């Protein structure tokens, strides 16, 4: 039973004392909700809400338009459908199990995988918190990464993969590859404890997805006529528009990874932009010198190469470090594409591995050097200085490549044998996937 406040005050007490006690009681009751509200940082929450929208904007419509413009006109809708369907499927899988397994405490299995406390997001509501953020915001932000990673793989398989096969592969890959690698680095897993550094997905997203893209391209085989065929982009206007969306949205990718509206987020945004701009200029200049003319495709591809390589380092390096990363990203792109397509004869159709995969790998290694405080960075996480940090980075990269490559091979083999195969028919490839797979056309002129 509650005690009436008036019974706590003697009727014989002086008036000033009774008034003071009543005022203190009122102030105490007002202070309780205020202290509870202070647990949520409104500025941080607003920024991560915004970043979640920016990263989702990168996949649909950004990546969809960028990839869609690069294929032939008869296949443009198939690429858009693939990106949209992957977004929907991976969103549901993240809710069902992905978030819980990636980013919650796994107990005795914590070094390797998360727990089951948030299966179907049970227990998550408007009141639950993740440090300074509502947990719903934290969950939604990381969902957009889990969408973008498998969507990247689409670019290596366009114009010849069955829609159902791609959807199954992307869904299984997200659960079997992205989720555990995410936990290892961002969920407090064994690579995080080792001191591996990945600010915004150079390893978790780009190295993992780039390896899967290369593996899948080799298993699927080349498009008809490759490498002799000429298959220029059908709509560079669409591609450039998508690339512009990626450039803007990437700031949610990098600066949002600080999970706070603070100086770290500001530096991540600045270094991301510098890396992208430098990569674009270097790629453009390389083409200009080599072929006599700069191309729009080279300008936007160099920009995306810079974005991919700066991702693991964005919040850790100085602006000067970002310039170094951008220069390397712009310089290695063309030789890497030539190696994959002309020397190794692998039809990584839209250059996912040389632009994203290789960029994430090299960027992660450069993070182990350029994050050093003596070079203007924020400091290294592993013991042993630069050699120790490079060792941690190399272990993280190597394990991610092996895990993603092996798991991708197994998933694709299972689909090929038990789910109707991987490739469309020769007739479908000739006529175009838009009509044969979706009964639609991108253009009715």
């Amino acid at each position: 039973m509650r005690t009436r406040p008036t019974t706590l005050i003697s009727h014989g007490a002086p008036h000033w004392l009774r008034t003071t006690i009543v005022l203190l009681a009122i102030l105490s009751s007002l202070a309780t909700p205020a202290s509870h509200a202070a647990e949520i940082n409104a500025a941080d929450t607003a920024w991560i809400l915004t970043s979640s929208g920016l990263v989702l904007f990168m996949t649909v419509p950004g990546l969809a338009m960028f990839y869609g413009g690069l294929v032939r006109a008869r296949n443009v809708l198939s690429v858009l459908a693939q990106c949209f369907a992957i977004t929907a499927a991976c969103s549901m899988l993240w809710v069902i199990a992905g978030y819980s397994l990636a980013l919650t405490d796994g107990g005795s299995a914590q070094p390797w995988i998360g727990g089951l406390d948030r299966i179907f997001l049970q227990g998550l509501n408007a009141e639950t918190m993740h440090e300074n953020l509502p947990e719903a915001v934290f969950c939604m932000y990381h969902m957009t990464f889990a969408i973008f990673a498998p969507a990247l793989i689409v670019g290596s398989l366009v114009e010849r993969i069955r829609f159902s096969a791609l959807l199954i592969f992307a869904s299984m890959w997200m659960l079997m590859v992205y989720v555990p690698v995410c936990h290892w680095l961002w969920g407090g897993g064994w690579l995080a404890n080792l001191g591996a550094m990945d600010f915004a997905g150079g390893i978790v997203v780009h190295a993992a997805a780039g390896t899967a893209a290369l593996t899948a391209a080799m298993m699927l085989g080349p498009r008809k006529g490759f490498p002799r065929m000429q298959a220029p982009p059908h709509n560079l206007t669409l591609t450039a528009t998508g690339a512009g969306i990626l450039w803007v949205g990437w700031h949610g990718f990098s600066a949002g990874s600080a999970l706070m509206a603070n100086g770290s987020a500001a530096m991540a945004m600045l270094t991301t932009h510098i890396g992208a701009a430098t990569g674009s200029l270097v790629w453009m200049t390389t083409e200009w010198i080599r072929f006599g003319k700069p191309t729009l495709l080279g300008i936007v591809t160099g920009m995306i190469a810079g974005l991919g390589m700066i991702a693991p380092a964005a919040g850790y390096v100085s602006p000067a470090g970002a310039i170094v990363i951008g220069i390397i990203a712009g310089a290695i792109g063309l030789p890497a594409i030539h190696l994959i397509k002309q020397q190794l004869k692998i039809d990584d159709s839209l250059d996912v591995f040389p632009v994203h995969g290789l960029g994430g790998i090299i960027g992660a290694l450069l993070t182990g050097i350029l994050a050093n405080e003596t070079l203007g960075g924020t400091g290294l996480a592993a013991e042993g200085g630069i050699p120790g940090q490079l060792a941690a980075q190399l272990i993280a990269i190597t394990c991610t490549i092996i895990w993603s490559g092996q798991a991708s091979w197994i998933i694709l083999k299972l689909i090929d044998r038990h789910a109707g195969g991987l490739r469309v028919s020769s007739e479908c490839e000739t006529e175009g996937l838009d009509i044969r797979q979706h009964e639609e056309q991108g253009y009715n002129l």
Side-chain angles (χ1 to χ4, degrees):
M1 180 181 294
R2 293 183 180 178
T3 304
R4 292 173 180 263
T6 53
T7 62
L8 299 176
I9 306 173
S10 170
H11 290 291
H15 177 72
W16 65 268
L17 179 59
R18 285 183 285 165
T19 302
T20 301
I21 292 173
V22 170
L23 287 173
L24 288 173
I26 293 171
L27 289 173
S28 176
S29 66
L30 292 174
T32 301
S35 62
H36 176 73
E39 295 175 6
I40 297 177
N41 188 300
D44 295 343
T45 300
W47 170 234
I48 304 307
L49 283 168
T50 303
S51 294
S52 300
L54 287 170
V55 181
L56 183 61
F57 196 46
M58 286 168 58
T59 304
V60 285
L63 191 68
M65 294 172 67
F66 178 74
Y67 280 169
L70 291 173
V71 299
R72 287 167 287 192
R74 62 178 183 263
N75 296 312
V76 57
L77 283 188
S78 70
V79 175
L80 302 182
Q82 289 161 6
C83 289
F84 272 80
I86 286 173
T87 298
C90 290
S91 297
M92 296 306 301
L93 291 171
W94 188 250
V95 169
I96 293 168
Y99 172 68
S100 190
L101 293 172
L103 295 170
T104 68
D105 192 328
S108 60
Q110 171 62 12
W112 312 108
I113 199 69
L116 303 176
D117 292 345
R118 288 289 188 259
I119 294 293
F120 285 95
L121 300 187
Q122 60 180 343
L124 189 153
N125 55 50
E127 303 300 322
T128 53
M129 298 287 297
H130 177 84
E131 298 179 357
N132 57 316
L133 300 170
E135 189 178 5
V137 177
F138 180 74
C139 173
M140 179 64 202
Y141 179 66
H142 275 282
M143 179 194 291
T144 61
F145 280 67
I147 291 167
F148 187 74
L152 272 180
I153 303 170
V154 168
S156 67
L157 307 173
V158 293
E159 301 193 306
R160 63 201 189 277
I161 191 169
R162 292 173 58 245
F163 180 73
S164 60
L166 179 64
L167 199 56
I168 295 169
F169 173 71
S171 300
M172 294 181 67
W173 185 89
M174 195 272 272
L175 289 175
M176 292 178 61
V177 177
Y178 179 83
V179 163
V181 174
C182 176
H183 181 78
W184 297 345
L185 276 154
W186 293 340
W190 71 281
L191 289 178
N193 294 331
L194 191 66
M197 301 173 71
D198 185 5
F199 192 82
I203 301 172
V204 176
V205 175
H206 296 279
T211 301
L214 191 64
T215 303
M218 289 189 290
M219 293 186 67
L220 190 64
R223 290 166 291 179
K224 293 174 64 175
F226 176 87
R228 299 178 306 280
M229 68 173 185
Q230 294 295 318
H234 89 280
N235 191 334
L236 279 176
T237 302
L238 190 67
T239 292
T241 303
I245 292 172
L246 286 169
W247 195 344
V248 174
W250 214 282
H251 292 304
F253 205 64
S254 290
S257 291
L259 295 178
M260 294 182 182
N262 60 7
S264 178
M267 281 299 294
M269 179 175 282
L270 178 62
T271 54
T272 295
H273 188 75
I274 292 171
T278 307
S280 180
L281 290 173
V282 171
W283 193 302
M284 177 192 74
T285 303
T286 302
E287 274 194 339
W288 207 338
I289 294 171
R290 184 172 176 180
F291 303 114
K293 293 181 181 178
T295 67
L296 172 63
L297 183 58
I299 293 169
V300 300
T301 304
M303 176 270 294
I304 291 175
L307 291 174
M309 194 172 288
I310 194 66
Y316 299 137
V317 301
S318 68
I323 293 174
V324 171
I325 288 173
I327 290 171
I328 295 172
I332 68 169
L334 281 174
I337 291 172
H338 179 79
L339 174 65
I340 296 295
K341 285 187 171 176
Q342 302 302 321
Q343 300 297 318
L344 300 179
K345 308 296 184 185
I346 300 171
D347 188 13
D348 180 354
S349 311
L350 307 183
D351 307 314
V352 179
F353 182 79
V355 174
H356 293 278
L358 191 61
I361 291 167
I362 294 175
L365 289 173
L366 291 172
T367 301
I369 301 171
L370 297 173
N372 194 314
E373 290 182 359
T374 59
L375 298 176
T378 60
L380 304 176
E383 298 180 357
I386 289 177
Q389 190 64 57
L390 284 174
Q393 298 300 98
L394 190 59
I395 290 170
I397 292 165
T398 302
C399 291
T400 298
I401 290 172
I402 293 172
W403 183 265
S404 181
Q406 290 293 323
S408 299
W409 185 86
I410 292 170
I411 295 168
L412 289 164
K413 277 292 185 183
L414 289 172
I415 295 171
D416 195 31
R417 293 180 180 178
H418 304 291
L422 295 172
R423 287 191 72 121
V424 299
S425 66
S426 177
E427 294 79 11
C428 177
E429 188 173 347
T430 300
E431 186 176 351
L433 275 63
D434 289 359
I435 287 292
R436 295 295 292 267
Q437 293 269 289
H438 304 285
E439 284 293 338
E440 295 173 305
Q441 286 182 291
Y443 307 98
N444 292 293
L445 302 176

